[in-house]
Amino acid sequence: MLPTTNRSKREKIHERCKNICPPKDTFERTLLHTHDKSRTDLEQVPKIFMKPDFALDDSLTFNSVLPWSHFNTAGGKGNRDAASSKLLQEKLSHYLDIVEVNIAHQISLRSEAFFHAMTSQHELQDYLKKTSQAVKMLRDKIAQIDKVMCEGSLHILRLALTRNNCVKVYNKLKLMATVHQTQPTVQVLLSTSEFVGALDLIATTQEVLQQELQGIHSFRHLGSQLCELEKLIDKMMIAEFSTYSHSDLNRPLEDDCQVLEECVINKVSQTEEIDTDVVVKLADQMRMLNFPQWFDLLKDIFSKFTIFLQRIKATLNIIHSVVLSVLDKNQRTRELEEISQQKNAAKDNSLDTEVAYLIHEGMFISDAFGEGELTPIAVDTTSQRNASPNSEPCSSDSVSEPECTTDSSSSKEHTSSSAIPGGVDIMVSEDMKLTDSELGKLANNIQELLYSASDICHDRAVKFLMSRAKDGFLEKLNSMEFITLSRLMETFILDTEQICGRKSMSLLGALQSQANKFVNRFHEERKTKLSLLLDNERWKQADVPAEFQDLVDSISDGKIALPEKKSGTTEERKPAEVLIVEGQQYAVVGTVLLLIRIILEYCQCVDNIPSVTTDMLTRLSDLLKYFNSRSCQLVLGAGALQVVGLKTITTKNLALSSRCLQLIVHYIPVIRAHFEARLPPKQYSMLRHFDHITKDYHDHIAEISAKLVAIMDSLFDKLLSKYEVKAPVPSACFRNICKQMTKMHEAIFDLLPEEQTQMLFLRINASYKLHLKKQLSHLNVINDGGPQNGLVTADVAFYTGNLQALKGLKDLDLNMAEIWEQKR
């Protein structure tokens, strides 16, 4: 309720305002009329003034509101412009008046709402005053209740909390004193090489610093100092392990042999040819060794490397077994913990939770245990843990005693939780333990260490190999020496792979590099040798020594290899006129015999060094192509006339060249099968080189046959063009032809097989018939039974008889009827 005086005053003010204001209906009609009038007035104001983005700083807006034409006073229009400007000013003033009137009108329309708000505010102030008085009365009552009933009890509770806080501070100070002794204790442990105990103490202290003493200003640097101590201990352990490993690995590899570096020195010092006073550097001294001495030295080095790796593997196996035993122990511990947790959970569920609400010195029992007893017990337990490493230290040589390490781990795991009176369990942090993933990583690192040791041995071997190869020593080795070296290196690579379980690639790569250089030199030497042989070849049939016959006989047995020399028997056997290959006779030149041996050397090199198979195939293909092209230049191209001074290329030279090519063609499938058995399947496409070579050789053989036919064809053309059908019979022309045919037969019959000779003479006979038919047609001699026909028939019969009388041509079908023109 409002006071009477204030209310009467406000009612009088309201009545006076009510009398002044017109009635509502009149007011609404007046308001409607005024609203329409205001709208009409506002429509007089240009729209540009009503835009929300109206701004005179815009040049277009400014020019629209204030045109420059109103301010132009130049010339005689000054009075008129002044009047125009005044008119503009009045117009703008009028617009301003309209807007102000409308604003005032809008404010008057909302006067009643304004007065209503003022009235509500006065009422609110009255209510707030009454509420304030009620709140003051309530506070006085609460203060009286607090003084009478609560102040004493709360004082007791505050004293209890203060006591607990004092206990916490005391226990915290005790813990701080214990932590303060960490560094001296660690130093004592390190002085006795108790690395495990020192690390355990550091890990426990760091755990306490992070959990229970976090934020203590005086210990702000202790954490970093402990980290530095850990790094120091790590270095000390590494140094001690390195010392142990160094002493273990530097033990004599054999009873009478020293370590690896001394092996080379001893070998060099035992060589009488090397003056160590003149040649100071060990590498230079080593380069003065000949191949047998250097090879023995390399064999000794590989042997020492193998023993060295075996010793490293034995040591690492011990460490690896320790890691695996810890992993197994962790697995069993986790299983025991799971069983224990299940039992504890069942026991906790049986406790009566209502006892937690019993009052103990003004606090709950659970709070009392948590605040009053838990902390000191935790401190004592921590102190016991800090001192525990000194009780039963584990030997620092635990690497060689796996049982000690596993027992220590087991004891830690079993003491990771301890029970105290009251049933509260204190859990010990296990951050210091390695997790299973870390142990697995450690096991992998142990294996990687063995790999690294193998790689280092291979790298040192490569360095030793390359230092000897600087002067081209390895490239000058003969085939047997390089093969021996290659086999030794491959054996060492396989031995280290079996020890370590992985193949090191550095020595293998060096071997491949040297093998490539060897292949290049091997090929260049034999290609140069073949080139010299061909340039000095006179293309005459050569005798076949017995060793070459043995060579091809070994190939016939399916084994492509150079046969061992038979002592005493080879000299007693006389050379043969021809080479017998699978029952066929081959008359050859000496170059081809040596080429067969060279081809076998390529094949045997592939057997001895499998890694060069693809390179050898390419080089052998190049060699065979070179022999084909060069022999073609010398024989068919008549290059031998200038190279070796032959007077002419005879038919015997041509036939002998053809037979030599046929011998090589005979062995190409055998060579292909040899390489195919040693190539990986993905490289079988390289075998197409042999197909191309075979085609080239067949084309060359066909060109030689065509050349032999062409020789007789030119002879027939020369002789038969002068043939005249007249007595005597046989004519001189036919006697000359038969003489030349006999010479041709004598030249090639002993060189070419009988079937090839028959085919060649059939082609020659076809050429003869063609030229004779042409000459008879020119002479108008026909098969009419006349005298001329008889003379020709007699000459042809003489030619046929002589040709069939030659060896191997008796059954040759000459078909001489084709020489006559067909009767029209």
Side-chain angles (χ1 to χ4, degrees):
M1 296 292 293
L2 290 173
T4 307
T5 306
N6 292 337
R7 189 177 68 176
S8 60
K9 185 187 295 184
R10 288 167 186 158
E11 286 179 355
K12 290 178 181 179
I13 294 172
H14 179 67
E15 291 296 333
R16 186 169 63 251
C17 292
K18 194 173 183 181
N19 294 329
I20 295 172
C21 295
K24 184 176 180 181
D25 296 338
T26 306
F27 175 75
E28 289 179 355
R29 287 195 298 272
T30 304
L31 182 63
L32 183 60
H33 174 72
T34 304
H35 179 68
D36 294 339
K37 184 175 181 300
S38 297
R39 178 177 293 180
T40 304
D41 293 340
L42 283 175
E43 289 177 355
Q44 296 178 14
V45 180
K47 299 298 183 182
I48 190 171
F49 293 103
M50 304 299 179
K51 291 183 177 180
D53 56 349
F54 176 78
L56 289 176
D57 55 358
D58 185 8
S59 58
L60 296 177
T61 304
F62 186 83
N63 292 331
S64 299
V65 175
L66 300 173
W68 287 104
S69 59
H70 292 282
F71 305 98
N72 189 0
T73 59
K77 301 180 181 180
N79 296 330
R80 188 175 61 183
D81 292 338
S84 178
S85 299
K86 185 176 182 181
L87 179 61
L88 176 62
Q89 183 178 3
E90 293 177 353
K91 184 187 297 185
L92 294 176
S93 299
H94 177 64
Y95 294 158
L96 179 60
D97 294 338
I98 293 175
V99 173
E100 289 178 347
V101 169
N102 277 274
I103 291 174
H105 176 67
Q106 292 296 327
I107 292 174
S108 65
L109 293 178
R110 289 163 175 78
S111 60
E112 185 175 357
F114 174 75
F115 287 114
H116 177 71
M118 291 297 296
T119 304
S120 300
Q121 184 178 7
H122 288 298
E123 293 177 357
L124 183 60
Q125 289 177 351
D126 294 338
Y127 284 123
L128 286 175
K129 184 176 181 180
K130 182 179 179 181
T131 303
S132 176
Q133 293 174 353
V135 169
K136 183 179 179 182
M137 185 183 298
L138 180 61
R139 284 180 175 177
D140 292 339
K141 291 181 180 181
I142 291 175
Q144 292 176 1
I145 294 173
D146 178 62
K147 184 176 182 180
V148 174
M149 300 182 64
C150 300
E151 186 173 349
S153 300
L154 290 177
H155 182 65
I156 293 173
L157 290 176
R158 279 194 293 271
L159 290 176
L161 291 175
T162 302
R163 177 181 177 277
N164 287 331
N165 288 336
C166 291
V167 171
K168 288 181 181 179
V169 172
Y170 171 73
N171 291 330
K172 192 72 71 175
L173 290 174
K174 286 179 61 179
L175 181 59
M176 291 174 63
T178 304
V179 170
H180 185 66
Q181 296 298 319
T182 297
Q183 289 177 305
T185 307
V186 169
Q187 296 295 338
V188 173
L189 292 173
L190 292 181
S191 64
T192 59
S193 298
E194 291 293 340
F195 301 116
V196 177
L199 289 174
D200 189 7
L201 179 57
I202 290 174
T204 305
T205 304
Q206 287 178 333
E207 177 187 349
V208 172
L209 286 175
Q210 293 174 359
Q211 295 180 1
E212 301 177 31
L213 297 181
Q214 187 175 12
I216 302 298
H217 187 72
S218 59
F219 288 151
R220 64 187 184 277
H221 300 303
L222 183 58
S224 60
Q225 292 172 356
L226 292 177
C227 290
E228 292 299 325
L229 273 177
E230 279 188 329
K231 294 179 181 178
L232 176 62
I233 295 172
D234 183 48
K235 292 180 180 179
M236 293 176 64
M237 292 178 68
I238 291 174
E240 185 169 335
F241 183 76
S242 299
T243 303
Y244 162 76
S245 301
H246 190 267
S247 61
D248 180 69
L249 295 177
N250 279 333
R251 288 185 290 110
L253 300 179
E254 295 178 1
D255 295 336
D256 57 344
C257 184
Q258 301 301 318
V259 295
L260 195 62
E261 290 77 5
E262 298 178 359
C263 175
V264 178
I265 298 174
N266 292 341
K267 189 69 177 180
V268 171
S269 62
Q270 293 171 4
T271 305
E272 298 179 355
E273 294 83 357
I274 299 177
D275 187 355
T276 56
D277 296 332
V278 178
V279 185
V280 180
K281 293 184 178 180
L282 182 61
D284 296 335
Q285 295 172 2
M286 183 266 296
R287 292 191 189 99
M288 298 182 67
L289 299 174
N290 57 30
F291 178 76
Q293 295 170 337
W294 181 82
F295 182 78
D296 291 340
L297 174 59
L298 181 62
K299 187 186 297 184
D300 291 341
I301 290 175
F302 283 164
S303 175
K304 302 304 182 294
F305 275 152
T306 303
I307 298 173
F308 178 73
L309 290 176
Q310 289 173 344
R311 185 170 295 173
I312 292 177
K313 183 178 181 180
T315 303
L316 294 179
N317 281 342
I318 295 175
I319 303 174
H320 194 261
S321 64
V322 171
V323 173
L324 294 181
S325 64
V326 172
L327 281 171
D328 181 62
K329 183 72 71 175
N330 288 349
Q331 178 65 28
R332 287 181 294 179
T333 302
R334 281 195 298 270
E335 295 176 355
L336 293 175
E337 288 178 352
E338 291 177 358
I339 297 174
S340 176
Q341 289 175 0
Q342 293 174 0
K343 292 181 178 179
N344 290 336
K347 184 183 297 182
D348 292 340
N349 290 334
S350 64
L351 295 178
D352 187 5
T353 57
E354 294 182 358
V355 76
Y357 295 99
L358 295 177
I359 298 300
H360 175 71
E361 294 184 355
M363 299 182 63
F364 295 119
I365 289 179
S366 58
D367 293 338
F369 280 128
E371 301 288 342
E373 297 180 10
L374 178 59
T375 302
I377 292 172
V379 174
D380 293 340
T381 306
T382 305
S383 302
Q384 292 174 4
R385 287 185 299 168
N386 290 340
S388 63
N390 291 327
S391 60
E392 293 182 6
C394 182
S395 174
S396 61
D397 295 331
S398 59
V399 173
S400 59
E401 298 293 337
E403 291 299 328
C404 178
T405 302
T406 53
D407 290 344
S408 175
S409 300
S410 177
S411 62
K412 282 186 189 178
E413 291 161 0
H414 287 301
T415 59
S416 61
S417 62
S418 59
I420 64 170
V424 180
D425 290 341
I426 303 298
M427 301 303 297
V428 178
S429 174
E430 297 186 359
D431 293 340
M432 56 175 294
K433 295 182 180 179
L434 292 177
T435 63
D436 288 352
S437 61
E438 290 173 338
L439 288 170
K441 185 178 180 180
L442 177 59
N444 293 333
N445 290 341
I446 292 172
Q447 188 64 35
E448 288 295 331
L449 183 60
L450 185 59
Y451 295 157
S452 300
S454 175
D455 293 339
I456 291 173
C457 291
H458 280 252
D459 292 341
R460 294 291 296 273
V462 170
K463 186 177 180 180
F464 178 82
L465 191 70
M466 292 298 102
S467 63
R468 193 65 181 93
K470 283 185 178 180
D471 55 356
F473 173 78
L474 299 180
E475 298 178 14
K476 298 175 184 178
L477 298 179
N478 59 42
S479 299
M480 291 307 300
E481 290 175 341
F482 187 83
I483 289 169
T484 304
L485 175 61
S486 176
R487 287 177 176 174
L488 176 64
M489 295 172 67
E490 289 175 352
T491 302
F492 175 69
I493 292 172
L494 291 176
D495 290 343
T496 55
E497 183 180 1
Q498 291 176 355
I499 294 173
C500 303
R502 190 188 71 175
K503 180 180 291 185
S504 297
M505 303 305 296
S506 57
L507 185 59
L508 186 63
L511 174 61
Q512 186 63 44
S513 175
Q514 293 299 322
N516 292 337
K517 295 179 180 179
F518 168 77
V519 168
N520 290 333
R521 182 184 59 79
F522 180 90
H523 176 65
E524 291 301 326
E525 287 180 355
R526 280 146 185 80
K527 189 174 182 179
T528 301
K529 181 179 180 180
L530 179 61
S531 177
L532 293 174
L533 290 172
L534 287 171
D535 289 345
N536 291 278
E537 181 60 63
R538 302 189 65 84
W539 296 100
K540 292 183 179 180
Q541 183 176 355
D543 292 335
V544 180
E547 60 176 314
F548 287 97
Q549 185 61 55
D550 295 338
L551 197 67
V552 299
D553 290 342
S554 65
I555 300 176
S556 301
D557 296 337
K559 180 178 68 174
I560 298 183
L562 294 174
E564 298 180 358
K565 292 184 177 181
K566 301 177 182 179
S567 59
T569 57
T570 305
E571 290 76 3
E572 298 174 359
R573 297 165 59 189
K574 295 182 179 180
E577 294 183 356
V578 294
L579 186 68
I580 299 177
V581 180
E582 297 181 1
Q584 292 192 16
Q585 296 181 354
Y586 286 88
V588 293
V589 297
T591 300
V592 172
L593 292 176
L594 295 175
L595 177 60
I596 295 295
R597 184 179 183 85
I598 290 173
I599 292 173
L600 292 184
E601 290 176 353
Y602 276 80
C603 295
Q604 188 170 13
C605 188
V606 168
D607 289 337
N608 295 326
I609 313 176
S611 61
V612 301
T613 301
T614 55
D615 290 338
M616 277 296 182
L617 189 151
T618 304
R619 302 299 196 282
L620 180 57
S621 300
D622 177 68
L623 188 75
L624 294 175
K625 291 177 182 178
Y626 175 77
F627 173 77
N628 184 47
S629 61
R630 186 60 178 159
S631 61
C632 181
Q633 294 171 3
L634 293 173
V635 181
L636 276 178
L641 300 181
Q642 291 80 23
V643 176
V644 295
L646 294 181
K647 294 181 180 180
T648 183
I649 302 298
T650 63
T651 55
K652 192 167 187 176
N653 297 141
L654 292 170
L656 194 59
S657 175
S658 175
R659 196 56 175 159
C660 290
L661 293 172
Q662 292 174 26
L663 178 62
I664 302 301
V665 170
H666 174 79
Y667 283 115
I668 287 179
V670 181
I671 300 170
R672 177 194 173 107
H674 181 82
F675 277 90
E676 184 176 3
R678 288 152 182 82
L679 279 176
K682 63 181 181 180
Q683 293 179 338
Y684 280 168
S685 59
M686 297 185 67
L687 298 173
R688 68 180 185 278
H689 292 300
F690 292 113
D691 299 333
H692 298 160
I693 293 172
T694 302
K695 181 180 180 302
D696 293 341
Y697 272 68
H698 281 303
D699 293 343
H700 189 182
I701 294 170
E703 290 177 6
I704 293 176
S705 299
K707 182 65 176 179
L708 292 172
V709 174
I711 291 173
M712 297 305 296
D713 183 79
S714 62
L715 179 66
F716 293 148
D717 182 61
K718 178 181 179 182
L719 294 178
L720 290 176
S721 62
K722 300 177 181 179
Y723 174 61
E724 295 180 357
V725 184
K726 62 180 181 179
V729 176
S731 63
C733 175
F734 272 78
R735 283 198 299 271
N736 200 1
I737 290 174
C738 290
K739 181 180 178 180
Q740 296 298 328
M741 294 285 279
T742 301
K743 288 183 178 181
M744 169 69 78
H745 182 270
E746 290 175 352
I748 68 173
F749 183 77
D750 292 335
L751 303 178
L752 298 179
E754 183 174 333
E755 61 273 11
Q756 292 187 21
T757 304
Q758 292 177 354
M759 292 299 298
L760 180 63
F761 272 90
L762 282 176
R763 293 176 62 186
I764 293 173
N765 182 63
S767 175
Y768 160 76
K769 291 189 293 183
L770 183 62
H771 285 284
L772 180 58
K773 182 177 181 179
K774 178 180 178 182
Q775 184 63 18
L776 293 177
S777 176
H778 177 69
L779 297 175
N780 292 322
V781 177
I782 61 175
N783 188 15
D784 57 356
Q788 288 185 327
N789 177 260
L791 292 174
V792 172
T793 302
D795 285 337
V796 170
F798 174 75
Y799 163 81
T800 304
N802 275 274
L803 190 60
Q804 292 181 339
L806 297 177
K807 189 175 181 181
L809 303 181
K810 180 178 180 180
D811 299 329
L812 203 64
D813 184 10
L814 301 178
N815 193 15
M816 299 305 295
E818 294 178 354
I819 65 174
W820 303 106
E821 290 283 353
Q822 297 293 330
K823 293 183 180 181
R824 299 177 180 176

